[in-house]
Amino acid sequence: MTETKAIRALRGRLLWFVDDPETAGDAAHRYVEDGLLVIASGIIAAVGEAATLLPTLPAGAEIIDHRPHLIMPGFIDAHLHMPQTQVIASYGAQLMEWLNKYTFVEEQKCGQQGHPEKLARFFLDELLANGTTTAVVYCSVHPQSVEALFLESERRNTRMVAGKVMMDRNAPEALTDTAGSGYADSKALIARWHGKGRQLYAITPRFAITSTPEQLAAAGRLAAEHPDCHVQTHINENQAEIAYTRELFPDAPDYAGVYEHYGLLGPRSLMGHCIHMTKREWRAFAEARAVAVFCPTSNLFLGSGLFDWARAKREGVPVAVATDIGGGTSYSMLRTMSEAYKILQLQGQSLQSFAALHAITRGNAVALKLDHLIGSLEPGHEADVVVLDPAATRAMAHRLETVRDLAEELFVLVTLGDERNVAATYVMGQRATPT
Ligand code: GUN
Ligand code: ZN
């Protein structure tokens, strides 16, 4: 370690994952009670016992003492909508009515000068305040909404995966593109942003209902031309949505069959919701290695149904977890996992604290195929970090007086935690919050 100036070390209780706790048990996590995370030029250079690593630091290295807080990889949110930050908490509707009555009205504002920029600033402030350092984002149909998000993300050096929504039917005129313009605008955004710094592009046909067959074919062409881009869309969220899709695509065997037909079901496909899946659809997902994205607070808020995580596991389908703002009701990945736990409880399933924290860090990184870059505190990874104070609230501090071990403490954190527990967030080793 020679570049003294760029070296920063965070001291605290380090927790990260090297495997899945569901399969590897206790061998999946690493916990260092008095640990040091050494960061050089934004990348993790070393991790381990403070007593071992402190003497190796060059003179002048900056040491930030976060004891007794937990230090974890920054959280990853696998699905949310930037134009819906002012749709969140809209009363009284299920999916299709909610889209038409609230969402499609609000998303039109992204066509106004300055609006996407305002949203992008708020959005990244809010994610970072919640400890989320990477997110997979639906922007609006307007290419400038993607431009605004990536520009703001580039300024903050956050890793974002985002795309322009493609939608050319069943939506207000002001929110539709065409098969041709949706393709061309997406293509130009890929050329400009995919792989620029930390920004990555996701090809984003909203869902089968709002795209003509021509547009789905165009999205499939983009996916074939850019196999390193993610694809994101929605599927099997709500019964009325499924019935309407069946009407629109009478020749498809089922909903997943529509996306399969157009080349949109592959290992980089992030498929939002997957609540009402047939046996054939699970099998198609498993064969394609497509990812089911579980959005607990959204599924409860919109009354969509209960995601069957145990079934996904049995079928060999990878799962990611997400807030789905603004169908979802919290930006916090901790709150998201608290609601996930309750959804699983209703189905006689469970979710241990280690598994929940794995899901929002390494688990989502693996699902996104970005685990070589993010989601871990292992050397070589990008130093996106969240510092958590499990005793941040009076109720939590009180409850923690009775916990007996780390798993119990973490369960309290996952069940009762939110942004109040985020003491600091670092992006590539730079402190991003509090600002
Ligand atoms: N299906 C199509 N668009 C959306 C959306 O914006 N939110 C949710 N929850 N489902 C969708
Ligand atoms: Zn969504």
Side-chain angles (χ1 to χ4, degrees), residues 5-44:
K5 218 170 50 186
I7 288 184
R8 163 173 292 167
L10 309 183
R11 187 169 182 180
R13 297 195 292 144
L14 306 179
L15 175 67
W16 75 103
F17 296 88
V18 294
D19 205 338
D20 186 346
E22 298 268 339
T23 49
D26 279 351
H29 73 268
R30 298 280 180 272
Y31 176 69
V32 188
E33 180 81 28
D34 183 7
L36 200 70
L37 185 72
V38 184
I39 300 165
S41 304
I43 302 295
I44 295 166

mmCIF file of all heavy atoms in Angstrom, residues 5-44:
data_model
loop_
_atom_site.group_PDB
_atom_site.id
_atom_site.type_symbol
_atom_site.label_atom_id
_atom_site.label_comp_id
_atom_site.label_asym_id
_atom_site.label_seq_id
_atom_site.Cartn_x
_atom_site.Cartn_y
_atom_site.Cartn_z
ATOM 1 N N LYS A 5 -2.345 8.725 0.134
ATOM 2 C CA LYS A 5 -3.407 9.726 0.058
ATOM 3 C C LYS A 5 -4.802 9.093 -0.142
ATOM 4 O O LYS A 5 -5.768 9.523 0.456
ATOM 5 C CB LYS A 5 -3.112 10.657 -1.124
ATOM 6 C CG LYS A 5 -3.460 12.100 -0.845
ATOM 7 C CD LYS A 5 -2.927 12.994 -1.934
ATOM 8 C CE LYS A 5 -3.353 12.433 -3.242
ATOM 9 N NZ LYS A 5 -2.948 12.928 -4.439
ATOM 10 N N ALA A 6 -4.848 8.066 -0.996
ATOM 11 C CA ALA A 6 -6.153 7.503 -1.378
ATOM 12 C C ALA A 6 -6.625 6.438 -0.403
ATOM 13 O O ALA A 6 -7.692 5.882 -0.594
ATOM 14 C CB ALA A 6 -6.054 6.942 -2.783
ATOM 15 N N ILE A 7 -5.857 6.150 0.627
ATOM 16 C CA ILE A 7 -6.245 5.027 1.498
ATOM 17 C C ILE A 7 -7.109 5.481 2.671
ATOM 18 O O ILE A 7 -6.793 6.438 3.370
ATOM 19 C CB ILE A 7 -4.998 4.263 1.979
ATOM 20 C CG1 ILE A 7 -4.443 3.498 0.779
ATOM 21 C CG2 ILE A 7 -5.342 3.312 3.117
ATOM 22 C CD1 ILE A 7 -3.291 2.617 1.069
ATOM 23 N N ARG A 8 -8.216 4.762 2.807
ATOM 24 C CA ARG A 8 -9.163 5.061 3.874
ATOM 25 C C ARG A 8 -9.530 3.723 4.496
ATOM 26 O O ARG A 8 -9.681 2.728 3.782
ATOM 27 C CB ARG A 8 -10.374 5.746 3.252
ATOM 28 C CG ARG A 8 -11.593 5.770 4.107
ATOM 29 C CD ARG A 8 -12.671 6.613 3.470
ATOM 30 N NE ARG A 8 -12.292 8.019 3.466
ATOM 31 C CZ ARG A 8 -12.926 8.947 2.765
ATOM 32 N NH1 ARG A 8 -13.927 8.609 1.990
ATOM 33 N NH2 ARG A 8 -12.553 10.196 2.831
ATOM 34 N N ALA A 9 -9.675 3.692 5.804
ATOM 35 C CA ALA A 9 -10.063 2.437 6.449
ATOM 36 C C ALA A 9 -11.264 2.682 7.356
ATOM 37 O O ALA A 9 -11.293 3.664 8.092
ATOM 38 C CB ALA A 9 -8.885 1.885 7.253
ATOM 39 N N LEU A 10 -12.254 1.794 7.248
ATOM 40 C CA LEU A 10 -13.447 1.896 8.089
ATOM 41 C C LEU A 10 -13.365 0.816 9.161
ATOM 42 O O LEU A 10 -13.164 -0.358 8.852
ATOM 43 C CB LEU A 10 -14.715 1.691 7.259
ATOM 44 C CG LEU A 10 -14.882 2.523 5.979
ATOM 45 C CD1 LEU A 10 -16.238 2.232 5.326
ATOM 46 C CD2 LEU A 10 -14.715 4.010 6.264
ATOM 47 N N ARG A 11 -13.525 1.223 10.415
ATOM 48 C CA ARG A 11 -13.446 0.274 11.523
ATOM 49 C C ARG A 11 -14.832 0.057 12.119
ATOM 50 O O ARG A 11 -15.586 1.015 12.340
ATOM 51 C CB ARG A 11 -12.494 0.818 12.590
ATOM 52 C CG ARG A 11 -12.213 -0.179 13.693
ATOM 53 C CD ARG A 11 -11.070 0.298 14.561
ATOM 54 N NE ARG A 11 -10.759 -0.687 15.590
ATOM 55 C CZ ARG A 11 -9.805 -0.550 16.494
ATOM 56 N NH1 ARG A 11 -9.048 0.549 16.498
ATOM 57 N NH2 ARG A 11 -9.579 -1.483 17.389
ATOM 58 N N GLY A 12 -15.173 -1.204 12.357
ATOM 59 C CA GLY A 12 -16.479 -1.514 12.931
ATOM 60 C C GLY A 12 -16.719 -3.007 12.896
ATOM 61 O O GLY A 12 -15.788 -3.800 12.721
ATOM 62 N N ARG A 13 -17.979 -3.388 13.061
ATOM 63 C CA ARG A 13 -18.339 -4.819 13.008
ATOM 64 C C ARG A 13 -18.655 -5.167 11.561
ATOM 65 O O ARG A 13 -19.703 -4.785 11.039
ATOM 66 C CB ARG A 13 -19.544 -5.078 13.911
ATOM 67 C CG ARG A 13 -19.245 -4.779 15.383
ATOM 68 C CD ARG A 13 -20.319 -5.380 16.282
ATOM 69 N NE ARG A 13 -21.597 -4.737 16.117
ATOM 70 C CZ ARG A 13 -22.779 -5.364 16.177
ATOM 71 N NH1 ARG A 13 -22.831 -6.664 16.370
ATOM 72 N NH2 ARG A 13 -23.893 -4.706 16.042
ATOM 73 N N LEU A 14 -17.761 -5.893 10.932
ATOM 74 C CA LEU A 14 -17.909 -6.179 9.494
ATOM 75 C C LEU A 14 -18.787 -7.419 9.296
ATOM 76 O O LEU A 14 -18.607 -8.435 9.972
ATOM 77 C CB LEU A 14 -16.547 -6.445 8.856
ATOM 78 C CG LEU A 14 -15.456 -5.381 9.050
ATOM 79 C CD1 LEU A 14 -14.169 -5.829 8.353
ATOM 80 C CD2 LEU A 14 -15.914 -4.033 8.523
ATOM 81 N N LEU A 15 -19.723 -7.317 8.354
ATOM 82 C CA LEU A 15 -20.573 -8.463 8.008
ATOM 83 C C LEU A 15 -20.779 -8.504 6.503
ATOM 84 O O LEU A 15 -21.208 -7.518 5.909
ATOM 85 C CB LEU A 15 -21.936 -8.344 8.705
ATOM 86 C CG LEU A 15 -22.961 -9.422 8.326
ATOM 87 C CD1 LEU A 15 -22.537 -10.808 8.811
ATOM 88 C CD2 LEU A 15 -24.346 -9.075 8.873
ATOM 89 N N TRP A 16 -20.442 -9.654 5.902
ATOM 90 C CA TRP A 16 -20.713 -9.829 4.480
ATOM 91 C C TRP A 16 -20.849 -11.313 4.166
ATOM 92 O O TRP A 16 -20.663 -12.160 5.040
ATOM 93 C CB TRP A 16 -19.636 -9.149 3.618
ATOM 94 C CG TRP A 16 -18.296 -9.832 3.531
ATOM 95 C CD1 TRP A 16 -17.825 -10.562 2.486
ATOM 96 C CD2 TRP A 16 -17.239 -9.815 4.515
ATOM 97 N NE1 TRP A 16 -16.548 -11.007 2.745
ATOM 98 C CE2 TRP A 16 -16.171 -10.562 3.981
ATOM 99 C CE3 TRP A 16 -17.103 -9.264 5.796
ATOM 100 C CZ2 TRP A 16 -14.973 -10.764 4.686
ATOM 101 C CZ3 TRP A 16 -15.916 -9.461 6.508
ATOM 102 C CH2 TRP A 16 -14.873 -10.202 5.936
ATOM 103 N N PHE A 17 -21.204 -11.614 2.930
ATOM 104 C CA PHE A 17 -21.494 -13.000 2.545
ATOM 105 C C PHE A 17 -20.571 -13.443 1.414
ATOM 106 O O PHE A 17 -20.247 -12.664 0.519
ATOM 107 C CB PHE A 17 -22.964 -13.129 2.107
ATOM 108 C CG PHE A 17 -23.913 -12.834 3.238
ATOM 109 C CD1 PHE A 17 -24.344 -11.534 3.483
ATOM 110 C CD2 PHE A 17 -24.321 -13.844 4.092
ATOM 111 C CE1 PHE A 17 -25.190 -11.251 4.557
ATOM 112 C CE2 PHE A 17 -25.164 -13.577 5.168
ATOM 113 C CZ PHE A 17 -25.594 -12.270 5.397
ATOM 114 N N VAL A 18 -20.195 -14.721 1.494
ATOM 115 C CA VAL A 18 -19.393 -15.303 0.411
ATOM 116 C C VAL A 18 -20.153 -16.441 -0.264
ATOM 117 O O VAL A 18 -19.680 -17.029 -1.229
ATOM 118 C CB VAL A 18 -18.023 -15.807 0.928
ATOM 119 C CG1 VAL A 18 -17.164 -14.639 1.405
ATOM 120 C CG2 VAL A 18 -18.196 -16.852 2.030
ATOM 121 N N ASP A 19 -21.344 -16.733 0.272
ATOM 122 C CA ASP A 19 -22.166 -17.818 -0.271
ATOM 123 C C ASP A 19 -23.604 -17.594 0.200
ATOM 124 O O ASP A 19 -23.869 -16.654 0.950
ATOM 125 C CB ASP A 19 -21.616 -19.177 0.216
ATOM 126 C CG ASP A 19 -21.972 -20.328 -0.723
ATOM 127 O OD1 ASP A 19 -22.952 -20.201 -1.490
ATOM 128 O OD2 ASP A 19 -21.279 -21.373 -0.679
ATOM 129 N N ASP A 20 -24.500 -18.483 -0.188
ATOM 130 C CA ASP A 20 -25.907 -18.356 0.170
ATOM 131 C C ASP A 20 -26.173 -19.068 1.497
ATOM 132 O O ASP A 20 -25.970 -20.282 1.590
ATOM 133 C CB ASP A 20 -26.757 -18.973 -0.958
ATOM 134 C CG ASP A 20 -28.239 -18.763 -0.736
ATOM 135 O OD1 ASP A 20 -28.647 -18.396 0.383
ATOM 136 O OD2 ASP A 20 -28.997 -18.972 -1.699
ATOM 137 N N PRO A 21 -26.641 -18.367 2.531
ATOM 138 C CA PRO A 21 -26.885 -19.006 3.829
ATOM 139 C C PRO A 21 -27.913 -20.138 3.754
ATOM 140 O O PRO A 21 -27.884 -21.045 4.591
ATOM 141 C CB PRO A 21 -27.438 -17.866 4.692
ATOM 142 C CG PRO A 21 -27.098 -16.606 3.990
ATOM 143 C CD PRO A 21 -26.949 -16.922 2.539
ATOM 144 N N GLU A 22 -28.792 -20.096 2.785
ATOM 145 C CA GLU A 22 -29.813 -21.154 2.662
ATOM 146 C C GLU A 22 -29.173 -22.497 2.314
ATOM 147 O O GLU A 22 -29.671 -23.547 2.685
ATOM 148 C CB GLU A 22 -30.819 -20.800 1.566
ATOM 149 C CG GLU A 22 -31.590 -19.536 1.838
ATOM 150 C CD GLU A 22 -32.898 -19.792 2.571
ATOM 151 O OE1 GLU A 22 -33.387 -20.936 2.513
ATOM 152 O OE2 GLU A 22 -33.416 -18.855 3.190
ATOM 153 N N THR A 23 -28.069 -22.455 1.573
ATOM 154 C CA THR A 23 -27.419 -23.706 1.181
ATOM 155 C C THR A 23 -26.126 -23.952 1.959
ATOM 156 O O THR A 23 -25.808 -25.093 2.277
ATOM 157 C CB THR A 23 -27.101 -23.707 -0.337
ATOM 158 O OG1 THR A 23 -26.447 -22.481 -0.663
ATOM 159 C CG2 THR A 23 -28.362 -23.843 -1.160
ATOM 160 N N ALA A 24 -25.414 -22.878 2.276
ATOM 161 C CA ALA A 24 -24.094 -23.055 2.912
ATOM 162 C C ALA A 24 -24.128 -22.859 4.426
ATOM 163 O O ALA A 24 -23.108 -23.055 5.100
ATOM 164 C CB ALA A 24 -23.093 -22.096 2.283
ATOM 165 N N GLY A 25 -25.284 -22.460 4.979
ATOM 166 C CA GLY A 25 -25.386 -22.286 6.438
ATOM 167 C C GLY A 25 -24.431 -21.222 6.942
ATOM 168 O O GLY A 25 -24.206 -20.205 6.280
ATOM 169 N N ASP A 26 -23.848 -21.485 8.110
ATOM 170 C CA ASP A 26 -22.978 -20.486 8.750
ATOM 171 C C ASP A 26 -21.709 -20.202 7.961
ATOM 172 O O ASP A 26 -21.072 -19.167 8.157
ATOM 173 C CB ASP A 26 -22.617 -20.935 10.171
ATOM 174 C CG ASP A 26 -23.744 -20.620 11.149
ATOM 175 O OD1 ASP A 26 -24.702 -19.916 10.740
ATOM 176 O OD2 ASP A 26 -23.683 -21.094 12.303
ATOM 177 N N ALA A 27 -21.346 -21.124 7.071
ATOM 178 C CA ALA A 27 -20.135 -20.901 6.260
ATOM 179 C C ALA A 27 -20.361 -19.798 5.222
ATOM 180 O O ALA A 27 -19.416 -19.343 4.579
ATOM 181 C CB ALA A 27 -19.738 -22.191 5.555
ATOM 182 N N ALA A 28 -21.625 -19.359 5.076
ATOM 183 C CA ALA A 28 -21.926 -18.372 4.025
ATOM 184 C C ALA A 28 -21.527 -16.959 4.408
ATOM 185 O O ALA A 28 -21.313 -16.123 3.541
ATOM 186 C CB ALA A 28 -23.416 -18.403 3.696
ATOM 187 N N HIS A 29 -21.483 -16.676 5.725
ATOM 188 C CA HIS A 29 -21.186 -15.291 6.100
ATOM 189 C C HIS A 29 -19.833 -15.147 6.768
ATOM 190 O O HIS A 29 -19.253 -16.102 7.289
ATOM 191 C CB HIS A 29 -22.294 -14.709 6.991
ATOM 192 C CG HIS A 29 -22.312 -15.247 8.390
ATOM 193 N ND1 HIS A 29 -23.055 -16.333 8.777
ATOM 194 C CD2 HIS A 29 -21.661 -14.823 9.503
ATOM 195 C CE1 HIS A 29 -22.876 -16.558 10.066
ATOM 196 N NE2 HIS A 29 -22.029 -15.668 10.534
ATOM 197 N N ARG A 30 -19.347 -13.923 6.689
ATOM 198 C CA ARG A 30 -18.127 -13.546 7.394
ATOM 199 C C ARG A 30 -18.500 -12.446 8.373
ATOM 200 O O ARG A 30 -19.186 -11.488 7.987
ATOM 201 C CB ARG A 30 -17.069 -13.002 6.426
ATOM 202 C CG ARG A 30 -16.606 -13.997 5.374
ATOM 203 C CD ARG A 30 -15.566 -14.957 5.958
ATOM 204 N NE ARG A 30 -15.125 -15.909 4.952
ATOM 205 C CZ ARG A 30 -15.711 -17.078 4.703
ATOM 206 N NH1 ARG A 30 -16.781 -17.451 5.390
ATOM 207 N NH2 ARG A 30 -15.231 -17.892 3.775
ATOM 208 N N TYR A 31 -18.051 -12.585 9.609
ATOM 209 C CA TYR A 31 -18.334 -11.568 10.614
ATOM 210 C C TYR A 31 -17.056 -11.299 11.396
ATOM 211 O O TYR A 31 -16.441 -12.231 11.914
ATOM 212 C CB TYR A 31 -19.447 -12.055 11.552
ATOM 213 C CG TYR A 31 -19.735 -11.101 12.677
ATOM 214 C CD1 TYR A 31 -20.326 -9.855 12.417
ATOM 215 C CD2 TYR A 31 -19.420 -11.418 13.995
ATOM 216 C CE1 TYR A 31 -20.593 -8.965 13.443
ATOM 217 C CE2 TYR A 31 -19.694 -10.537 15.035
ATOM 218 C CZ TYR A 31 -20.275 -9.313 14.746
ATOM 219 O OH TYR A 31 -20.534 -8.432 15.764
ATOM 220 N N VAL A 32 -16.664 -10.055 11.450
ATOM 221 C CA VAL A 32 -15.464 -9.679 12.216
ATOM 222 C C VAL A 32 -15.879 -8.612 13.223
ATOM 223 O O VAL A 32 -16.268 -7.501 12.846
ATOM 224 C CB VAL A 32 -14.345 -9.131 11.295
ATOM 225 C CG1 VAL A 32 -13.057 -8.932 12.095
ATOM 226 C CG2 VAL A 32 -14.102 -10.047 10.096
ATOM 227 N N GLU A 33 -15.819 -8.975 14.481
ATOM 228 C CA GLU A 33 -16.351 -8.126 15.566
ATOM 229 C C GLU A 33 -15.643 -6.769 15.641
ATOM 230 O O GLU A 33 -16.284 -5.727 15.711
ATOM 231 C CB GLU A 33 -16.189 -8.894 16.891
ATOM 232 C CG GLU A 33 -16.683 -8.175 18.110
ATOM 233 C CD GLU A 33 -18.201 -8.294 18.304
ATOM 234 O OE1 GLU A 33 -18.782 -9.291 17.852
ATOM 235 O OE2 GLU A 33 -18.774 -7.361 18.893
ATOM 236 N N ASP A 34 -14.311 -6.803 15.596
ATOM 237 C CA ASP A 34 -13.561 -5.536 15.523
ATOM 238 C C ASP A 34 -12.755 -5.580 14.227
ATOM 239 O O ASP A 34 -11.606 -5.990 14.201
ATOM 240 C CB ASP A 34 -12.646 -5.370 16.742
ATOM 241 C CG ASP A 34 -11.911 -4.031 16.712
ATOM 242 O OD1 ASP A 34 -12.205 -3.188 15.821
ATOM 243 O OD2 ASP A 34 -11.040 -3.824 17.580
ATOM 244 N N GLY A 35 -13.405 -5.169 13.167
ATOM 245 C CA GLY A 35 -12.810 -5.334 11.843
ATOM 246 C C GLY A 35 -12.356 -4.033 11.218
ATOM 247 O O GLY A 35 -12.695 -2.930 11.673
ATOM 248 N N LEU A 36 -11.572 -4.191 10.165
ATOM 249 C CA LEU A 36 -11.110 -3.032 9.403
ATOM 250 C C LEU A 36 -11.316 -3.320 7.921
ATOM 251 O O LEU A 36 -10.961 -4.394 7.424
ATOM 252 C CB LEU A 36 -9.628 -2.766 9.685
ATOM 253 C CG LEU A 36 -9.147 -1.345 9.359
ATOM 254 C CD1 LEU A 36 -9.732 -0.339 10.360
ATOM 255 C CD2 LEU A 36 -7.622 -1.274 9.386
ATOM 256 N N LEU A 37 -11.935 -2.346 7.245
ATOM 257 C CA LEU A 37 -12.128 -2.437 5.795
ATOM 258 C C LEU A 37 -11.223 -1.392 5.167
ATOM 259 O O LEU A 37 -11.424 -0.188 5.368
ATOM 260 C CB LEU A 37 -13.591 -2.150 5.459
ATOM 261 C CG LEU A 37 -13.992 -2.318 3.995
ATOM 262 C CD1 LEU A 37 -14.036 -3.803 3.625
ATOM 263 C CD2 LEU A 37 -15.363 -1.681 3.735
ATOM 264 N N VAL A 38 -10.220 -1.860 4.440
ATOM 265 C CA VAL A 38 -9.234 -0.938 3.876
ATOM 266 C C VAL A 38 -9.590 -0.674 2.419
ATOM 267 O O VAL A 38 -9.782 -1.606 1.629
ATOM 268 C CB VAL A 38 -7.804 -1.511 3.994
ATOM 269 C CG1 VAL A 38 -6.785 -0.503 3.483
ATOM 270 C CG2 VAL A 38 -7.518 -1.905 5.439
ATOM 271 N N ILE A 39 -9.678 0.602 2.086
ATOM 272 C CA ILE A 39 -10.144 1.008 0.743
ATOM 273 C C ILE A 39 -9.054 1.844 0.075
ATOM 274 O O ILE A 39 -8.558 2.809 0.678
ATOM 275 C CB ILE A 39 -11.437 1.844 0.860
ATOM 276 C CG1 ILE A 39 -12.539 1.024 1.549
ATOM 277 C CG2 ILE A 39 -11.899 2.330 -0.509
ATOM 278 C CD1 ILE A 39 -13.713 1.855 2.025
ATOM 279 N N ALA A 40 -8.684 1.458 -1.124
ATOM 280 C CA ALA A 40 -7.695 2.231 -1.879
ATOM 281 C C ALA A 40 -8.310 2.623 -3.216
ATOM 282 O O ALA A 40 -8.746 1.759 -3.981
ATOM 283 C CB ALA A 40 -6.423 1.406 -2.096
ATOM 284 N N SER A 41 -8.362 3.903 -3.477
ATOM 285 C CA SER A 41 -8.931 4.426 -4.730
ATOM 286 C C SER A 41 -10.311 3.831 -5.043
ATOM 287 O O SER A 41 -10.585 3.448 -6.180
ATOM 288 C CB SER A 41 -7.973 4.168 -5.897
ATOM 289 O OG SER A 41 -6.716 4.718 -5.614
ATOM 290 N N GLY A 42 -11.144 3.734 -4.036
ATOM 291 C CA GLY A 42 -12.527 3.310 -4.231
ATOM 292 C C GLY A 42 -12.751 1.810 -4.256
ATOM 293 O O GLY A 42 -13.887 1.360 -4.326
ATOM 294 N N ILE A 43 -11.670 1.038 -4.199
ATOM 295 C CA ILE A 43 -11.783 -0.435 -4.257
ATOM 296 C C ILE A 43 -11.336 -1.015 -2.918
ATOM 297 O O ILE A 43 -10.402 -0.496 -2.283
ATOM 298 C CB ILE A 43 -10.895 -0.991 -5.394
ATOM 299 C CG1 ILE A 43 -11.286 -0.369 -6.746
ATOM 300 C CG2 ILE A 43 -10.942 -2.516 -5.462
ATOM 301 C CD1 ILE A 43 -12.677 -0.710 -7.242
ATOM 302 N N ILE A 44 -11.995 -2.107 -2.502
ATOM 303 C CA ILE A 44 -11.613 -2.747 -1.247
ATOM 304 C C ILE A 44 -10.243 -3.407 -1.431
ATOM 305 O O ILE A 44 -10.055 -4.241 -2.321
ATOM 306 C CB ILE A 44 -12.679 -3.762 -0.806
ATOM 307 C CG1 ILE A 44 -13.984 -3.001 -0.491
ATOM 308 C CG2 ILE A 44 -12.197 -4.573 0.401
ATOM 309 C CD1 ILE A 44 -15.212 -3.868 -0.361
#
